[in-house]
Amino acid sequence: IALLRSGACAAVDVFAREHDGYRADFTVRSCADALEPRLPLHLINVAREAPYTRFVSDPIDHAFEVLLRRLRPNIVHFGHLNHLSVR
């Protein structure tokens, strides 16, 4: 949020995991951050899959690749990969 508000870059997007037992695993939804509506969140649902039992997830990798191809960022920062994929 601070980076976006600083104006030091053109755009900031966040790719993260969510846990919604009512939606299918590995579906991605985009929404605005509750604290900063200008910050797009891209949330992949991983409710039933146990991502902490392995380090590589093909469906998560694919969803991230699709997002990267669409956004075409100059810089990608990984805060952490917990519950995501390391490939």
Side-chain angles (χ1 to χ4, degrees):
I1 292 175
L3 180 61
L4 179 66
R5 289 178 177 170
S6 75
C9 60
V12 176
D13 285 72
V14 173
F15 181 77
R17 173 187 180 257
E18 70 176 341
H19 184 161
D20 181 346
Y22 296 103
R23 290 189 315 107
D25 274 350
F26 308 116
T27 56
V28 177
R29 71 179 181 96
S30 296
C31 61
D33 182 78
L35 298 176
E36 176 52 76
R38 296 176 299 155
L39 178 62
L41 304 177
H42 308 281
L43 304 171
I44 187 163
N45 191 47
V46 189
R48 285 162 286 285
E49 178 74 14
Y52 45 82
T53 62
R54 61 180 186 212
F55 294 104
V56 174
S57 171
D58 291 334
I60 293 173
D61 289 341
H62 176 73
F64 188 60
E65 181 180 348
V66 167
L67 183 65
L68 287 177
R69 288 181 189 273
R70 184 169 60 84
L71 297 176
R72 299 181 52 85
N74 292 325
I75 298 172
V76 176
H77 169 75
F78 295 96
H80 67 77
L81 297 172
N82 290 349
H83 306 292
L84 291 173
S85 181
V86 297
R87 185 176 324 173

Coordinates of all heavy atoms in Angstrom, one line a residue:
I1 N 0.8 -1.2 0.0 CA 0.0 0.0 0.0 C 0.9 1.2 0.0 O 0.6 2.2 -0.7 CB -1.0 0.0 1.2 CG1 -2.0 -1.1 1.0 CG2 -1.7 1.3 1.3 CD1 -3.0 -1.3 2.2
A2 N 1.9 1.2 0.8 CA 2.8 2.4 0.9 C 3.5 2.7 -0.5 O 3.6 3.8 -0.9 CB 3.9 2.2 1.9
L3 N 3.9 1.6 -1.2 CA 4.5 1.8 -2.5 C 3.5 2.4 -3.5 O 3.9 3.3 -4.2 CB 5.0 0.5 -3.0 CG 5.7 0.5 -4.4 CD1 6.9 1.4 -4.4 CD2 6.1 -0.9 -4.8
L4 N 2.3 1.9 -3.5 CA 1.3 2.5 -4.4 C 1.1 3.9 -4.1 O 1.0 4.8 -5.0 CB 0.0 1.6 -4.3 CG -1.1 2.1 -5.1 CD1 -0.8 1.9 -6.6 CD2 -2.4 1.3 -4.8
R5 N 0.9 4.2 -2.8 CA 0.6 5.6 -2.4 C 1.8 6.6 -2.6 O 1.6 7.8 -2.7 CB 0.2 5.6 -0.9 CG -1.2 5.0 -0.7 CD -1.6 5.0 0.7 NE -3.0 4.5 0.9 CZ -3.5 4.2 2.1 NH1 -2.8 4.3 3.2 NH2 -4.7 3.7 2.1
S6 N 3.0 6.0 -2.6 CA 4.2 6.9 -2.8 C 4.2 7.5 -4.2 O 4.9 8.5 -4.4 CB 5.4 6.1 -2.5 OG 5.7 5.2 -3.6
G7 N 3.6 6.8 -5.2 CA 3.7 7.3 -6.5 C 5.0 6.9 -7.2 O 5.3 7.4 -8.3
A8 N 5.8 6.1 -6.6 CA 7.1 5.7 -7.1 C 7.1 4.7 -8.2 O 8.1 4.4 -8.9 CB 8.0 5.1 -6.0
C9 N 5.9 4.2 -8.5 CA 5.7 3.2 -9.6 C 4.4 3.4 -10.2 O 3.5 4.0 -9.6 CB 5.9 1.8 -9.1 SG 4.7 1.3 -7.8
A10 N 4.2 2.9 -11.4 CA 3.0 3.1 -12.2 C 1.8 2.3 -11.6 O 0.7 2.7 -11.6 CB 3.2 2.7 -13.6
A11 N 2.1 1.0 -11.1 CA 1.1 0.2 -10.7 C 1.6 -0.9 -9.7 O 2.8 -1.2 -9.8 CB 0.4 -0.5 -11.8
V12 N 0.8 -1.3 -8.8 CA 1.1 -2.4 -7.9 C -0.1 -3.4 -7.9 O -1.2 -2.9 -7.8 CB 1.4 -1.9 -6.4 CG1 1.6 -3.0 -5.5 CG2 2.5 -0.9 -6.4
D13 N 0.2 -4.7 -8.1 CA -0.8 -5.7 -8.0 C -0.4 -6.7 -7.0 O 0.9 -6.9 -6.8 CB -1.0 -6.4 -9.3 CG -1.8 -5.5 -10.3 OD1 -1.2 -4.5 -10.8 OD2 -3.0 -5.9 -10.6
V14 N -1.3 -7.4 -6.3 CA -0.9 -8.5 -5.4 C -1.6 -9.8 -5.8 O -2.8 -9.8 -6.1 CB -1.4 -8.1 -3.9 CG1 -1.2 -9.2 -3.0 CG2 -0.7 -6.8 -3.5
F15 N -0.8 -10.9 -5.8 CA -1.2 -12.2 -6.1 C -1.1 -13.0 -4.7 O 0.0 -13.0 -4.2 CB -0.4 -12.9 -7.1 CG -0.8 -14.3 -7.5 CD1 -1.9 -14.5 -8.3 CD2 -0.1 -15.4 -7.0 CE1 -2.3 -15.8 -8.6 CE2 -0.5 -16.7 -7.4 CZ -1.6 -16.9 -8.2
A16 N -2.2 -13.5 -4.2 CA -2.2 -14.1 -2.9 C -3.2 -15.3 -2.9 O -4.0 -15.4 -3.8 CB -2.5 -13.1 -1.8
R17 N -3.1 -16.1 -1.9 CA -4.0 -17.2 -1.6 C -5.1 -16.8 -0.7 O -5.0 -16.0 0.1 CB -3.2 -18.3 -1.0 CG -4.1 -19.5 -0.6 CD -3.2 -20.5 0.3 NE -4.0 -21.6 0.7 CZ -4.5 -21.8 1.9 NH1 -4.2 -20.9 2.8 NH2 -5.2 -22.9 2.2
E18 N -6.3 -17.4 -1.0 CA -7.4 -17.3 -0.1 C -8.0 -18.6 0.2 O -7.7 -19.6 -0.5 CB -8.5 -16.3 -0.6 CG -9.3 -16.7 -1.7 CD -10.4 -15.8 -2.1 OE1 -10.7 -14.9 -1.3 OE2 -10.9 -15.8 -3.2
H19 N -8.8 -18.7 1.2 CA -9.4 -20.0 1.6 C -10.9 -19.9 1.7 O -11.4 -19.4 2.7 CB -8.8 -20.4 3.0 CG -9.2 -21.8 3.5 ND1 -8.5 -22.4 4.4 CD2 -10.2 -22.6 3.1 CE1 -9.1 -23.6 4.6 NE2 -10.2 -23.7 3.9
D20 N -11.6 -20.3 0.6 CA -13.0 -20.2 0.6 C -13.6 -21.5 0.2 O -13.5 -22.0 -0.9 CB -13.4 -19.1 -0.5 CG -14.9 -18.9 -0.6 OD1 -15.7 -19.8 0.0 OD2 -15.4 -18.0 -1.2
G21 N -14.1 -22.2 1.2 CA -14.6 -23.6 1.1 C -15.8 -23.7 0.2 O -16.2 -24.8 -0.2
Y22 N -16.4 -22.6 -0.2 CA -17.6 -22.6 -1.1 C -17.3 -22.4 -2.5 O -18.2 -22.6 -3.4 CB -18.6 -21.5 -0.6 CG -19.1 -21.8 0.8 CD1 -18.6 -21.0 1.8 CD2 -20.1 -22.8 1.0 CE1 -19.1 -21.3 3.1 CE2 -20.5 -23.0 2.3 CZ -20.0 -22.3 3.3 OH -20.5 -22.5 4.6
R23 N -16.0 -22.1 -2.9 CA -15.7 -22.0 -4.3 C -14.7 -23.1 -4.6 O -14.0 -23.6 -3.8 CB -15.0 -20.6 -4.5 CG -16.0 -19.5 -4.4 CD -15.5 -18.1 -4.9 NE -14.2 -17.8 -4.3 CZ -13.1 -17.8 -5.0 NH1 -13.1 -18.1 -6.3 NH2 -11.9 -17.4 -4.5
A24 N -14.6 -23.3 -5.9 CA -13.7 -24.4 -6.4 C -12.2 -24.0 -6.2 O -11.9 -22.8 -6.3 CB -13.9 -24.6 -7.9
D25 N -11.4 -25.0 -5.9 CA -10.0 -24.8 -5.7 C -9.4 -24.2 -7.0 O -9.8 -24.6 -8.1 CB -9.2 -26.0 -5.3 CG -9.2 -26.3 -3.8 OD1 -9.6 -25.4 -3.1 OD2 -8.8 -27.4 -3.4
F26 N -8.4 -23.4 -6.9 CA -7.6 -22.8 -7.9 C -8.3 -21.8 -8.8 O -7.8 -21.5 -9.9 CB -6.9 -23.9 -8.8 CG -6.2 -24.9 -7.9 CD1 -6.5 -26.2 -7.8 CD2 -5.1 -24.5 -7.1 CE1 -5.9 -27.1 -7.0 CE2 -4.4 -25.4 -6.3 CZ -4.8 -26.7 -6.3
T27 N -9.5 -21.4 -8.4 CA -10.1 -20.3 -9.2 C -9.5 -19.0 -8.7 O -9.2 -18.8 -7.5 CB -11.7 -20.3 -9.0 OG1 -12.0 -20.2 -7.6 CG2 -12.3 -21.5 -9.6
V28 N -9.4 -18.0 -9.6 CA -8.8 -16.7 -9.3 C -9.9 -15.7 -9.4 O -10.7 -15.7 -10.3 CB -7.7 -16.4 -10.2 CG1 -7.1 -15.0 -9.9 CG2 -6.6 -17.4 -10.1
R29 N -10.0 -14.8 -8.4 CA -10.9 -13.7 -8.5 C -10.1 -12.4 -8.2 O -9.1 -12.5 -7.5 CB -12.0 -13.8 -7.5 CG -11.7 -13.6 -6.0 CD -12.9 -13.8 -5.1 NE -12.5 -13.6 -3.7 CZ -12.6 -12.4 -3.1 NH1 -13.0 -11.3 -3.7 NH2 -12.2 -12.3 -1.8
S30 N -10.5 -11.4 -8.8 CA -9.8 -10.1 -8.6 C -10.7 -9.1 -8.0 O -11.9 -9.1 -8.2 CB -9.3 -9.5 -10.0 OG -8.4 -10.4 -10.6
C31 N -10.2 -8.4 -7.0 CA -11.0 -7.4 -6.3 C -10.0 -6.3 -5.8 O -8.8 -6.4 -6.0 CB -11.7 -8.0 -5.1 SG -10.5 -8.8 -3.9
A32 N -10.6 -5.3 -5.2 CA -9.8 -4.2 -4.7 C -9.5 -4.5 -3.2 O -10.3 -5.1 -2.5 CB -10.5 -2.9 -4.8
D33 N -8.4 -4.0 -2.8 CA -8.0 -4.1 -1.4 C -9.0 -3.3 -0.5 O -9.4 -2.2 -0.9 CB -6.5 -3.6 -1.2 CG -6.1 -3.8 0.3 OD1 -5.7 -4.9 0.7 OD2 -6.1 -2.7 1.0
A34 N -9.3 -3.8 0.6 CA -10.3 -3.1 1.5 C -9.7 -1.8 2.1 O -10.5 -0.9 2.3 CB -10.7 -4.1 2.7
L35 N -8.4 -1.7 2.3 CA -7.8 -0.5 2.9 C -7.4 0.5 1.8 O -7.4 1.7 2.0 CB -6.6 -0.9 3.7 CG -6.9 -1.7 4.9 CD1 -5.6 -2.0 5.6 CD2 -7.8 -1.0 5.9
E36 N -7.1 0.0 0.6 CA -6.7 0.8 -0.5 C -7.4 0.4 -1.8 O -6.9 -0.5 -2.5 CB -5.2 0.8 -0.6 CG -4.6 1.6 -1.8 CD -5.1 3.1 -1.9 OE1 -4.7 3.9 -1.1 OE2 -6.0 3.3 -2.7
P37 N -8.5 1.0 -2.2 CA -9.2 0.5 -3.3 C -8.5 0.6 -4.7 O -8.9 0.0 -5.6 CB -10.4 1.5 -3.4 CG -10.5 2.2 -2.1 CD -9.1 2.1 -1.5
R38 N -7.4 1.4 -4.7 CA -6.6 1.4 -5.9 C -5.6 0.2 -6.1 O -5.0 0.1 -7.1 CB -5.8 2.7 -6.0 CG -6.6 4.0 -6.1 CD -5.8 5.2 -6.0 NE -5.0 5.3 -4.8 CZ -3.8 5.9 -4.6 NH1 -3.3 6.6 -5.6 NH2 -3.2 5.9 -3.4
L39 N -5.6 -0.6 -5.1 CA -4.6 -1.8 -5.1 C -5.4 -3.0 -5.5 O -6.2 -3.5 -4.8 CB -4.0 -2.0 -3.7 CG -3.1 -3.2 -3.5 CD1 -1.9 -3.0 -4.4 CD2 -2.7 -3.3 -2.1
P40 N -5.1 -3.5 -6.7 CA -5.8 -4.8 -7.2 C -5.2 -6.0 -6.5 O -4.0 -6.2 -6.4 CB -5.5 -4.8 -8.7 CG -4.9 -3.5 -9.0 CD -4.3 -2.9 -7.8
L41 N -6.1 -6.8 -6.0 CA -5.8 -8.1 -5.4 C -6.2 -9.2 -6.4 O -7.3 -9.2 -6.9 CB -6.4 -8.4 -4.1 CG -6.2 -7.3 -3.0 CD1 -7.0 -7.7 -1.8 CD2 -4.8 -7.2 -2.7
H42 N -5.4 -10.2 -6.6 CA -5.7 -11.4 -7.4 C -5.6 -12.6 -6.5 O -4.4 -13.0 -6.1 CB -4.8 -11.5 -8.6 CG -4.7 -10.2 -9.4 ND1 -5.7 -9.8 -10.3 CD2 -3.8 -9.2 -9.3 CE1 -5.4 -8.6 -10.8 NE2 -4.2 -8.2 -10.2
L43 N -6.7 -13.1 -6.1 CA -6.7 -14.1 -5.1 C -7.0 -15.5 -5.6 O -8.1 -15.7 -6.3 CB -7.7 -13.8 -4.0 CG -7.6 -12.4 -3.4 CD1 -8.7 -12.0 -2.5 CD2 -6.3 -12.3 -2.6
I44 N -6.1 -16.5 -5.4 CA -6.3 -17.8 -5.9 C -6.9 -18.6 -4.7 O -6.4 -18.6 -3.6 CB -5.1 -18.5 -6.5 CG1 -5.4 -19.8 -7.1 CG2 -4.0 -18.6 -5.5 CD1 -4.4 -20.3 -8.0
N45 N -8.0 -19.3 -5.0 CA -8.6 -20.1 -3.9 C -7.9 -21.5 -3.8 O -7.8 -22.2 -4.7 CB -10.1 -20.3 -4.2 CG -10.8 -20.9 -3.0 OD1 -10.7 -20.4 -1.9 ND2 -11.6 -21.9 -3.2
V46 N -7.4 -21.7 -2.6 CA -6.8 -23.0 -2.3 C -7.4 -23.5 -0.9 O -6.8 -23.4 0.1 CB -5.3 -22.9 -2.2 CG1 -4.7 -24.3 -2.1 CG2 -4.7 -22.2 -3.4
A47 N -8.7 -24.0 -1.0 CA -9.4 -24.3 0.2 C -9.2 -25.8 0.6 O -9.0 -26.1 1.7 CB -10.9 -24.0 0.1
R48 N -9.3 -26.6 -0.4 CA -9.3 -28.1 -0.1 C -7.9 -28.7 -0.3 O -7.5 -29.7 0.3 CB -10.3 -28.8 -0.9 CG -11.7 -28.6 -0.3 CD -12.8 -28.9 -1.3 NE -13.0 -27.9 -2.3 CZ -13.5 -26.7 -2.2 NH1 -14.0 -26.4 -1.0 NH2 -13.6 -25.9 -3.2
E49 N -7.2 -28.1 -1.2 CA -5.8 -28.6 -1.5 C -4.9 -28.2 -0.3 O -5.1 -27.2 0.2 CB -5.3 -27.9 -2.8 CG -3.9 -28.3 -3.2 CD -3.8 -29.7 -3.8 OE1 -4.8 -30.3 -4.1 OE2 -2.7 -30.2 -3.8
A50 N -4.0 -29.1 0.0 CA -3.1 -28.8 1.2 C -1.8 -28.3 0.6 O -0.9 -29.1 0.4 CB -3.0 -30.0 2.0
P51 N -1.7 -27.0 0.3 CA -0.5 -26.5 -0.3 C 0.8 -26.6 0.5 O 1.9 -26.7 0.0 CB -0.8 -25.0 -0.6 CG -1.8 -24.7 0.4 CD -2.6 -26.0 0.6
Y52 N 0.6 -26.7 1.8 CA 1.8 -26.8 2.7 C 2.4 -28.2 2.7 O 3.4 -28.5 3.2 CB 1.4 -26.4 4.1 CG 0.1 -27.1 4.6 CD1 0.1 -28.4 5.0 CD2 -1.1 -26.4 4.5 CE1 -1.1 -29.0 5.4 CE2 -2.3 -27.0 4.9 CZ -2.3 -28.3 5.3 OH -3.5 -28.9 5.7
T53 N 1.8 -29.2 2.0 CA 2.3 -30.5 1.9 C 3.2 -30.7 0.8 O 3.9 -31.8 0.6 CB 1.2 -31.6 1.8 OG1 0.5 -31.4 0.6 CG2 0.3 -31.5 3.0
R54 N 3.3 -29.7 -0.1 CA 4.3 -29.8 -1.3 C 4.7 -28.4 -1.6 O 4.0 -27.4 -1.3 CB 3.6 -30.5 -2.4 CG 2.4 -29.9 -3.0 CD 1.9 -30.7 -4.1 NE 0.8 -29.9 -4.7 CZ -0.3 -30.5 -5.3 NH1 -0.4 -31.7 -5.3 NH2 -1.2 -29.7 -5.8
F55 N 5.8 -28.3 -2.4 CA 6.3 -27.0 -2.7 C 6.0 -26.5 -4.1 O 6.3 -25.4 -4.5 CB 7.8 -27.0 -2.5 CG 8.2 -27.2 -1.1 CD1 8.7 -28.4 -0.6 CD2 8.0 -26.1 -0.2 CE1 9.0 -28.5 0.7 CE2 8.3 -26.2 1.1 CZ 8.8 -27.5 1.6
V56 N 5.5 -27.4 -5.0 CA 5.2 -27.1 -6.4 C 3.7 -27.4 -6.6 O 3.2 -28.5 -6.3 CB 6.1 -27.8 -7.3 CG1 5.7 -27.5 -8.8 CG2 7.5 -27.4 -7.1
S57 N 3.0 -26.4 -7.2 CA 1.6 -26.6 -7.5 C 1.4 -26.2 -9.0 O 1.4 -24.9 -9.3 CB 0.7 -25.8 -6.6 OG -0.6 -25.9 -7.0
D58 N 1.1 -27.1 -9.9 CA 0.9 -26.7 -11.3 C -0.2 -25.8 -11.5 O -0.1 -24.8 -12.2 CB 0.7 -28.0 -12.1 CG 2.0 -28.8 -12.3 OD1 3.1 -28.2 -12.1 OD2 2.0 -30.0 -12.5
P59 N -1.4 -26.0 -10.8 CA -2.5 -25.0 -11.0 C -2.2 -23.6 -10.5 O -2.6 -22.6 -11.2 CB -3.7 -25.6 -10.2 CG -3.3 -27.1 -10.1 CD -1.8 -27.1 -10.0
I60 N -1.5 -23.5 -9.4 CA -1.1 -22.2 -8.9 C 0.0 -21.5 -9.9 O -0.1 -20.4 -10.2 CB -0.5 -22.2 -7.5 CG1 -1.6 -22.6 -6.5 CG2 0.1 -20.9 -7.1 CD1 -1.2 -22.9 -5.1
D61 N 0.9 -22.3 -10.3 CA 1.9 -21.8 -11.3 C 1.2 -21.3 -12.6 O 1.6 -20.3 -13.1 CB 2.9 -22.9 -11.7 CG 3.8 -23.3 -10.6 OD1 4.0 -22.5 -9.6 OD2 4.4 -24.4 -10.7
H62 N 0.3 -22.1 -13.1 CA -0.5 -21.7 -14.3 C -1.2 -20.3 -14.1 O -1.2 -19.4 -14.9 CB -1.4 -22.8 -14.7 CG -2.2 -22.4 -15.9 ND1 -1.7 -22.3 -17.2 CD2 -3.5 -22.0 -16.0 CE1 -2.7 -21.9 -18.0 NE2 -3.8 -21.7 -17.3
A63 N -1.9 -20.2 -13.0 CA -2.7 -19.0 -12.7 C -1.8 -17.8 -12.6 O -2.1 -16.7 -13.1 CB -3.5 -19.2 -11.4
F64 N -0.6 -18.0 -11.9 CA 0.4 -16.9 -11.8 C 0.9 -16.5 -13.2 O 1.1 -15.3 -13.5 CB 1.5 -17.3 -10.8 CG 2.4 -16.2 -10.5 CD1 1.9 -15.0 -9.9 CD2 3.8 -16.3 -10.7 CE1 2.8 -13.9 -9.6 CE2 4.6 -15.2 -10.4 CZ 4.1 -14.1 -9.9
E65 N 1.2 -17.5 -14.0 CA 1.7 -17.2 -15.3 C 0.7 -16.5 -16.2 O 1.1 -15.5 -16.9 CB 2.1 -18.6 -16.1 CG 2.7 -18.4 -17.4 CD 3.0 -19.6 -18.1 OE1 3.0 -20.7 -17.5 OE2 3.3 -19.6 -19.4
V66 N -0.5 -16.9 -16.1 CA -1.6 -16.1 -16.9 C -1.6 -14.7 -16.4 O -1.7 -13.8 -17.2 CB -3.0 -16.8 -16.7 CG1 -4.1 -16.0 -17.1 CG2 -3.0 -18.2 -17.4
L67 N -1.6 -14.4 -15.1 CA -1.6 -13.1 -14.6 C -0.4 -12.3 -15.0 O -0.5 -11.1 -15.5 CB -1.7 -13.1 -13.0 CG -1.8 -11.8 -12.4 CD1 -3.1 -11.1 -12.7 CD2 -1.6 -11.9 -10.9
L68 N 0.8 -12.9 -15.0 CA 2.0 -12.2 -15.4 C 1.9 -11.8 -16.9 O 2.3 -10.7 -17.3 CB 3.3 -13.1 -15.2 CG 3.7 -13.2 -13.8 CD1 4.9 -14.1 -13.7 CD2 4.1 -11.8 -13.1
R69 N 1.4 -12.7 -17.7 CA 1.3 -12.4 -19.2 C 0.3 -11.3 -19.4 O 0.5 -10.5 -20.3 CB 0.8 -13.7 -19.9 CG 1.9 -14.7 -20.0 CD 1.4 -15.9 -20.8 NE 2.4 -17.0 -20.8 CZ 3.4 -17.2 -21.6 NH1 3.6 -16.3 -22.5 NH2 4.2 -18.2 -21.5
R70 N -0.7 -11.2 -18.6 CA -1.7 -10.1 -18.7 C -1.2 -8.8 -18.2 O -1.3 -7.8 -18.9 CB -3.0 -10.5 -18.0 CG -4.1 -9.4 -18.2 CD -5.5 -9.9 -17.7 NE -5.5 -10.2 -16.3 CZ -5.7 -9.3 -15.3 NH1 -5.8 -8.0 -15.6 NH2 -5.7 -9.7 -14.1
L71 N -0.5 -8.8 -17.1 CA 0.0 -7.5 -16.5 C 1.3 -7.1 -17.1 O 1.5 -5.9 -17.1 CB 0.1 -7.7 -15.0 CG -1.1 -8.0 -14.2 CD1 -0.8 -8.3 -12.7 CD2 -2.1 -6.9 -14.3
R72 N 2.1 -8.0 -17.5 CA 3.5 -7.7 -18.1 C 4.2 -6.7 -17.2 O 4.6 -5.6 -17.6 CB 3.3 -7.1 -19.5 CG 2.7 -8.1 -20.4 CD 2.5 -7.6 -21.8 NE 3.7 -7.1 -22.4 CZ 4.7 -7.9 -23.0 NH1 4.5 -9.2 -23.1 NH2 5.8 -7.4 -23.5
P73 N 4.5 -7.1 -15.9 CA 5.2 -6.2 -15.0 C 6.7 -6.0 -15.3 O 7.3 -6.9 -15.9 CB 5.0 -6.9 -13.6 CG 4.9 -8.3 -14.0 CD 4.2 -8.4 -15.3
N74 N 7.2 -4.9 -14.9 CA 8.7 -4.7 -15.0 C 9.4 -5.3 -13.9 O 10.6 -5.7 -14.0 CB 9.0 -3.2 -15.1 CG 8.5 -2.5 -16.3 OD1 8.5 -3.1 -17.4 ND2 8.0 -1.3 -16.2
I75 N 8.8 -5.3 -12.7 CA 9.4 -5.9 -11.5 C 8.4 -6.8 -10.8 O 7.2 -6.5 -10.7 CB 9.8 -4.8 -10.5 CG1 10.9 -3.9 -11.2 CG2 10.3 -5.3 -9.2 CD1 11.2 -2.6 -10.4
V76 N 8.9 -7.9 -10.3 CA 8.1 -8.8 -9.5 C 8.8 -9.1 -8.2 O 9.9 -9.4 -8.2 CB 7.8 -10.2 -10.3 CG1 7.1 -11.1 -9.4 CG2 7.2 -10.0 -11.6
H77 N 8.1 -8.8 -7.1 CA 8.6 -9.0 -5.8 C 7.9 -10.1 -5.1 O 6.6 -10.1 -5.1 CB 8.5 -7.7 -5.0 CG 8.8 -7.9 -3.5 ND1 10.1 -8.1 -3.0 CD2 8.0 -8.0 -2.4 CE1 10.0 -8.2 -1.7 NE2 8.8 -8.2 -1.4
F78 N 8.6 -11.0 -4.5 CA 8.0 -12.1 -3.7 C 8.2 -11.9 -2.2 O 9.3 -12.0 -1.8 CB 8.6 -13.5 -4.1 CG 8.3 -13.9 -5.5 CD1 9.2 -13.6 -6.5 CD2 7.1 -14.5 -5.9 CE1 9.0 -14.0 -7.8 CE2 6.8 -14.8 -7.2 CZ 7.8 -14.6 -8.2
G79 N 7.2 -11.5 -1.5 CA 7.2 -11.3 -0.1 C 7.5 -12.6 0.6 O 8.3 -12.8 1.5
H80 N 6.7 -13.6 0.2 CA 6.9 -15.0 0.6 C 6.1 -15.9 -0.3 O 5.3 -15.4 -1.1 CB 6.5 -15.2 2.1 CG 5.0 -15.0 2.3 ND1 4.1 -16.0 1.9 CD2 4.3 -14.0 2.7 CE1 2.9 -15.6 2.2 NE2 2.9 -14.4 2.7
L81 N 6.3 -17.2 -0.3 CA 5.6 -18.1 -1.1 C 4.8 -19.1 -0.3 O 4.4 -20.2 -0.8 CB 6.7 -18.9 -2.0 CG 7.4 -18.0 -3.0 CD1 8.5 -18.8 -3.6 CD2 6.5 -17.4 -4.0
N82 N 4.5 -18.8 1.0 CA 3.7 -19.7 1.8 C 2.4 -20.0 1.1 O 1.7 -19.1 0.7 CB 3.5 -19.0 3.2 CG 4.7 -19.0 4.0 OD1 5.7 -19.5 3.7 ND2 4.6 -18.2 5.1
H83 N 2.1 -21.2 1.0 CA 0.8 -21.7 0.5 C 0.7 -21.4 -1.0 O -0.4 -21.4 -1.5 CB -0.4 -21.1 1.2 CG -0.3 -21.4 2.7 ND1 -0.5 -22.6 3.2 CD2 -0.1 -20.6 3.7 CE1 -0.3 -22.6 4.5 NE2 -0.1 -21.3 4.9
L84 N 1.8 -21.1 -1.7 CA 1.7 -20.8 -3.1 C 2.6 -21.9 -3.8 O 2.4 -23.1 -3.5 CB 2.2 -19.4 -3.5 CG 1.2 -18.4 -3.0 CD1 1.7 -17.0 -3.2 CD2 -0.2 -18.5 -3.7
S85 N 3.5 -21.5 -4.6 CA 4.4 -22.5 -5.3 C 5.8 -21.9 -5.5 O 5.9 -20.7 -5.6 CB 3.7 -22.9 -6.6 OG 4.5 -23.8 -7.4
V86 N 6.8 -22.8 -5.5 CA 8.1 -22.3 -5.6 C 8.7 -22.4 -7.0 O 9.9 -22.1 -7.2 CB 9.1 -23.0 -4.6 CG1 8.7 -22.6 -3.2 CG2 9.2 -24.4 -4.8
R87 N 8.0 -22.8 -8.0 CA 8.5 -23.0 -9.3 C 8.6 -21.7 -10.0 O 7.9 -20.8 -9.9 CB 7.7 -23.9 -10.1 CG 8.3 -24.2 -11.5 CD 7.6 -25.2 -12.3 NE 7.0 -26.2 -11.5 CZ 6.2 -27.2 -12.0 NH1 5.9 -27.2 -13.2 NH2 5.7 -28.1 -11.2

